[in-house]
Amino acid sequence: AQSVAQPEDQVNVAEGNPLTVKCTYSVSGNPYLFWYVQYPNRGLQFLLKYITGDNLVKGSYGFEAEFNKSQTSFHLKKPSALVSDSALYFCAVRDVARQLTFGSGTQLTVLP
Amino acid sequence: KAGVTQTPRYLIKTRGQQVTLSCSPISGHRSVSWYQQTPGQGLQFLFEYFSETQRNKGNFPGRFSGRQFSNSRSEMNVSTLELGDSALYLCASSLGLDSYEQYFGPGTRLTVT
């Protein structure tokens, strides 16, 4: 069975500093990986996906993610954090049946 | 283009009752998936519908059911509500079965008392 782990429940970073939100996955076959963000009282917003190709994937709002097959990781990154980036971030993997399995989420707080 | 809409946004029900939640996908999207989000279990997949047929189902009891109409709108029903069914229910739409990106609605917050 596939699984996703987000080892950090909470990440704090100062505004203007780079941020990283970690994600590792376990799946048989080729991984289809996603990052979503959730703001309070809102649904999930799609940030980016990795299906195949370049290991560095660029997404919305200046976010990018690095796919590392040997480490089975798909960490979310942004060079310079904004206070408005504060939200709950979910990593997800899709299996051959198209079912999304989500990680437990990481609360990102960007401090002014 | 309008996003995914879910109604109602908030709902309070009593144990033993049943509830129906509605989801209207983005225009042109034919696939609708439902998820349950709780603090304890996180985000869990309920089911997926495409062309009025359930294509995929998560590990939930039979009290949870759904359907999709010819206009791609979808409803999910929970019968004999339990306290543990209190959750945010999210609907997501995508163009079709081979689409990788899902677009989520704002969710319906169900509270069971």
Side-chain angles (χ1 to χ4, degrees):
Chain A
Q2 60 186 36
S3 64
V4 176
Q6 294 180 242
E8 301 159 318
D9 292 335
Q10 174 82 41
V11 169
N12 295 327
V13 64
E15 187 175 28
N17 283 2
L19 70 86
T20 299
V21 182
K22 296 179 181 177
C23 171
T24 59
Y25 66 90
S26 173
V27 63
S28 55
N30 294 324
Y32 298 150
L33 298 160
F34 304 82
W35 275 101
Y36 285 86
V37 59
Q38 185 176 34
Y39 295 96
N41 300 316
R42 302 277 295 276
L44 276 68
Q45 294 181 31
F46 171 81
L47 278 180
L48 50 80
K49 67 179 185 290
Y50 173 84
I51 304 302
T52 186
D54 290 341
N55 291 340
L56 186 63
V57 179
K58 294 191 182 297
S60 306
Y61 313 119
F63 284 94
E64 57 190 27
E66 187 171 9
F67 171 69
N68 188 315
K69 188 173 183 178
S70 62
Q71 297 185 6
T72 62
S73 66
F74 189 56
H75 301 332
L76 182 69
K77 300 182 178 185
K78 188 174 183 181
S80 179
L82 300 172
V83 173
S84 57
D85 292 331
S86 298
L88 186 57
Y89 290 81
F90 290 96
C91 181
V93 62
R94 194 175 92 159
D95 65 15
V96 293
R98 302 179 312 280
Q99 180 174 325
L100 272 179
T101 298
F102 287 88
S104 55
T106 297
Q107 181 66 49
L108 172 68
T109 300
V110 181
L111 305 168
Chain B
K1 191 181 275 191
V4 178
T5 58
Q6 293 186 244
T7 56
R9 291 292 310 277
Y10 301 91
L11 205 50
I12 300 175
K13 290 287 188 179
T14 305
R15 271 181 302 175
Q17 289 185 316
Q18 75 165 18
V19 67
T20 299
L21 312 182
S22 180
C23 171
S24 293
I26 293 172
S27 177
H29 285 197
R30 298 175 60 197
S31 177
V32 173
S33 297
W34 289 90
Y35 295 85
Q36 181 196 64
Q37 186 178 20
T38 60
Q41 299 298 317
L43 275 156
Q44 293 184 284
F45 171 78
L46 279 158
F47 26 65
E48 177 187 27
Y49 285 87
F50 178 81
S51 289
E52 302 178 62
T53 302
Q54 187 180 93
R55 303 290 178 149
N56 209 352
K57 190 177 191 305
N59 189 25
F60 278 82
R63 300 185 297 107
F64 292 81
S65 63
R67 59 177 176 170
Q68 186 181 35
F69 302 94
S70 59
N71 61 358
S72 297
R73 190 177 70 84
S74 177
E75 290 181 345
M76 69 163 281
N77 184 276
V78 187
S79 62
T80 319
L81 283 166
E82 301 177 359
L83 294 179
D85 297 333
S86 294
L88 180 66
Y89 290 88
L90 294 166
C91 166
S93 77
S94 59
L95 278 170
L97 293 177
D98 293 328
S99 301
Y100 296 110
E101 297 176 24
Q102 293 189 349
Y103 296 86
F104 284 77
T108 294
R109 173 74 63 186
L110 172 64
T111 302
V112 182
T113 62

